[in-house]
């Protein structure tokens, strides 16, 4: 039984399982960190702004109520400026108060920018008759603008609106500091995630690598390889299932090998035991065949039939013995420096095929081969072409110095091989024509020819010619052992 060698192991790709696990861990950590940073920034910003907004509104309302107690209408510019200044004094540094009475507008700081007070806020204060606020951005600086109408003791509309402009730059810097702090923590988090991912990947991949090594040993023919079972998780179940499958496979393969060995011994033993009685039968059949002319017609026909079948049985036993030697590894080459053209001519002449085969045999092609086995190969390929193909049968010998090989091509002009037969033509006892239940051959000729070619380190390929007919190509390595020239 032959074991198929595993394909060569390629280099580890960058997209291996370890890399994918590390990348997945890092991506999860990075996404989580970015999401947490965004949420923290949003919440901290909202909290800081809400606190600032509540503080400014409360203080603004109190200062307006205190200043309104001493304010009388109608008011002039001096009174209005004094009112705005009193309100601004309690709102902290940087706050600007703008008071508007009818068409008169004054500010606690005459140089301050009043543009943060938008028309929309003025409209809201005027129509809703209650405190309103708005956050605006002017020239890259954020502001909180609060506006309220002033109601005097008479409870009648006074026509006085007051606005407070407070900078939010400090709050923005605070939230930016929080964002920077959280963002600076992303790098350590990602590095820690990568380290943890490597540790986790090592833990996960260790049993996977053991399975990989055990599988490769199985593929190379070592069916005794097993993996250790650790723990009780899914990987442990996988290792346990692998070991059980390996046990069953080893038992099955061992049984098949034993059956195969018994079958080969049986064929070899039967073939060997048949040789002695076949030798006796051959002698008797030869005598009967020689005396067939003196026998009655029916008896003569029977004698010739016995002789032919005995010869066929002898060839079958010889072929079975030859196959048993190939199977057991007992077949050996007896290499000699051979003129291949002369060897091919001798094979054709020995069988009387010289006039039936067109040959192209360039002189001077010498190689180190087993001449007897080359004779067997040529006899089988040419014999099949003559029996199952159609003439003219051609045989061409060629040398390929660049490829370091010699080829012998045998072609016929028959119907060719059925497509489904091309992959089985070298199988033992295979018949391309299922209706042909009996033939002069043993059914092992092509198989023996292929084994002889392989013994030389070569091969035989079968194909159909484009113009019709089958073609068999024997390819052998071109080597010399006696100092001959190519």
């Amino acid at each position: 039984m032959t074991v198929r060698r595993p394909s060569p192991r390629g280099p580890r790709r960058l997209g291996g399982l370890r890399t994918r696990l590390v990348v997945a861990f890092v991506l999860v950590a990075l996404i989580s960190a970015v999401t947490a940073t965004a949420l923290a920034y949003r919440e901290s910003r909202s909290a800081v702004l809400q606190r600032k907004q509540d503080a400014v509104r409360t203080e603004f309302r109190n200062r307006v109520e205190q200043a309104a107690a001493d304010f009388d209408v109608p008011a002039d510019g001096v009174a209005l400026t004094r009112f705005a200044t009193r309100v601004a004094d309690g709102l902290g540094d940087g706050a600007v108060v703008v008071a508007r009475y009818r068409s008169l507008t004054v500010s606690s700081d005459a140089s301050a920018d009043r543009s943060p007070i938008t028309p929309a806020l003025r409209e809201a204060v005027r129509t809703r008759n209650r405190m309103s606020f708005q956050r605006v951005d002017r020239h890259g600086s954020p502001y909180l603008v609060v506006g309220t109408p002033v109601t005097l003791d008479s409870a009648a509309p006074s026509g006085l609106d007051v606005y407070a402009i407070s900078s939010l730059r400090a709050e923005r810097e605070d939230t930016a500091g929080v964002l920077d702090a959280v963002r600076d923590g992303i790098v350590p988090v990602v590095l820690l995630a990568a380290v943890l991912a490597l540790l986790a990947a090592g833990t996960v991949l260790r049993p996977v690598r053991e399975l990989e090594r055990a599988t490769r040993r199985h593929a190379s023919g070592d069916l005794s390889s097993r993996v250790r079972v650790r723990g009780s998780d899914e990987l442990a179940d996988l290792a346990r299932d692998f070991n059980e499958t390996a046990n069953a496979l080893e038992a099955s393969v061992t049984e098949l090998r034993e059956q195969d060995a018994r079958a080969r011994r049986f064929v070899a033993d039967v073939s060997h035991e048949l040789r002695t009685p076949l030798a006796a039968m051959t002698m008797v059949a030869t005598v009967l065949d020689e005396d067939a002319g003196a026998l009655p017609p029916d008896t003569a026909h029977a004698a010739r039939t016995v002789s032919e079948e005995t010869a066929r049985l002898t060839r079958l036993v010889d072929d079975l013995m030859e196959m048993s030697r190939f199977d057991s590894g007992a077949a050996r080459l007896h290499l000699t420096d051979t003129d291949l053209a002369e060897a091919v001519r001798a094979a054709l002449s020995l069988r009387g095929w010289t006039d039936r085969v067109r040959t192209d045999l360039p002189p001077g092609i010498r190689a180190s081969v087993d001449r007897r086995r080359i004779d067997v190969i040529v006899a089988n390929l040419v014999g099949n072409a003559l029996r199952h193909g159609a003439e003219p049968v051609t045989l061409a010998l060629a040398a390929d110095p660049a490829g370091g090989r010699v080829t012998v091509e045998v072609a016929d002009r028959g119907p060719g091989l059925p497509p489904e037969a091309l992959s089985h033509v070298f199988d033992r006892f295979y018949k391309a024509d299922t209706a042909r239940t009996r033939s002069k051959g043993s059914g092992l000729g092509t198989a023996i020819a292929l084994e002889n070619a392989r013994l030389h380190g070569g091969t035989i390929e079968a194909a159909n010619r484009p113009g019709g007919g089958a073609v068999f190509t024997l390819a052998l390595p071109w080597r010399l052992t006696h100092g001959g020239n190519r």
Side-chain angles (χ1 to χ4, degrees), residues 30-87:
L30 184 61
I31 293 173
S32 301
V34 171
T35 303
T37 300
L39 292 176
Y41 174 75
R42 188 185 68 177
E43 293 300 323
S44 62
R45 180 175 180 274
S46 299
V48 169
L49 292 178
Q50 186 66 40
R51 185 169 61 249
K52 174 72 173 180
Q53 175 182 303
D54 293 343
V56 170
R57 291 176 64 187
T58 301
E59 186 63 24
F60 180 60
R61 181 183 293 109
N62 294 335
R63 298 303 300 175
V64 169
E65 289 176 354
Q66 292 175 7
D70 300 329
F71 185 77
D72 295 323
V73 293
D76 55 13
V78 175
L80 196 60
T81 301
R82 186 168 54 249
F83 176 83
T85 302
R86 288 186 61 186
V87 174

Side-chain angles (χ1 to χ4, degrees), residues 408-433:
V408 177
E409 182 181 282
V410 178
D412 64 66
R413 298 300 186 274
L417 293 168
E420 64 275 9
L422 286 173
S423 58
H424 301 287
V425 70
F426 296 104
D427 293 350
R428 302 176 186 184
F429 299 108
Y430 178 78
K431 293 183 175 63
D433 184 3

Side-chain angles (χ1 to χ4, degrees), residues 172-197:
R172 185 174 66 178
E173 291 175 353
D174 291 341
T175 55
V178 173
L179 179 62
D180 292 339
V182 177
R183 186 171 53 201
D184 292 342
I186 291 179
V187 175
V189 168
V190 171
L191 293 177
L192 179 61
V195 173
L196 294 177

Side-chain angles (χ1 to χ4, degrees), residues 430-444:
Y430 178 78
K431 293 183 175 63
D433 184 3
T434 56
R436 181 172 53 87
T437 57
R438 291 181 62 83
S439 66
K440 293 183 180 180
S442 64
L444 295 172

Side-chain angles (χ1 to χ4, degrees), residues 210-289:
E210 290 185 5
L211 282 171
E212 178 190 18
R213 287 191 291 268
T215 302
R216 290 187 174 276
R217 287 194 292 270
H218 276 219
S220 64
D222 180 14
L223 299 181
S224 62
S225 178
R226 300 292 184 272
V227 295
R228 286 189 298 174
V229 179
R230 301 184 182 90
S232 57
D233 55 8
E234 290 81 359
L235 290 174
D237 294 338
L238 178 61
R240 194 176 296 109
D241 293 340
F242 175 86
N243 289 338
E244 292 176 357
T245 303
N247 290 333
L249 178 62
E250 184 178 19
S252 299
V253 171
T254 301
E255 182 180 357
L256 288 174
R257 285 174 175 170
E258 292 175 352
Q259 292 178 356
D260 187 56
R262 287 196 297 268
R264 291 177 179 176
R265 284 197 302 270
F266 174 77
V267 171
D269 292 344
V270 168
S271 301
H272 182 74
E273 293 299 326
L274 286 176
R275 299 193 74 175
T276 300
L278 274 176
M281 292 174 61
T282 300
M283 289 188 294
V284 173
T286 301
V287 173
L288 289 175
D289 195 28

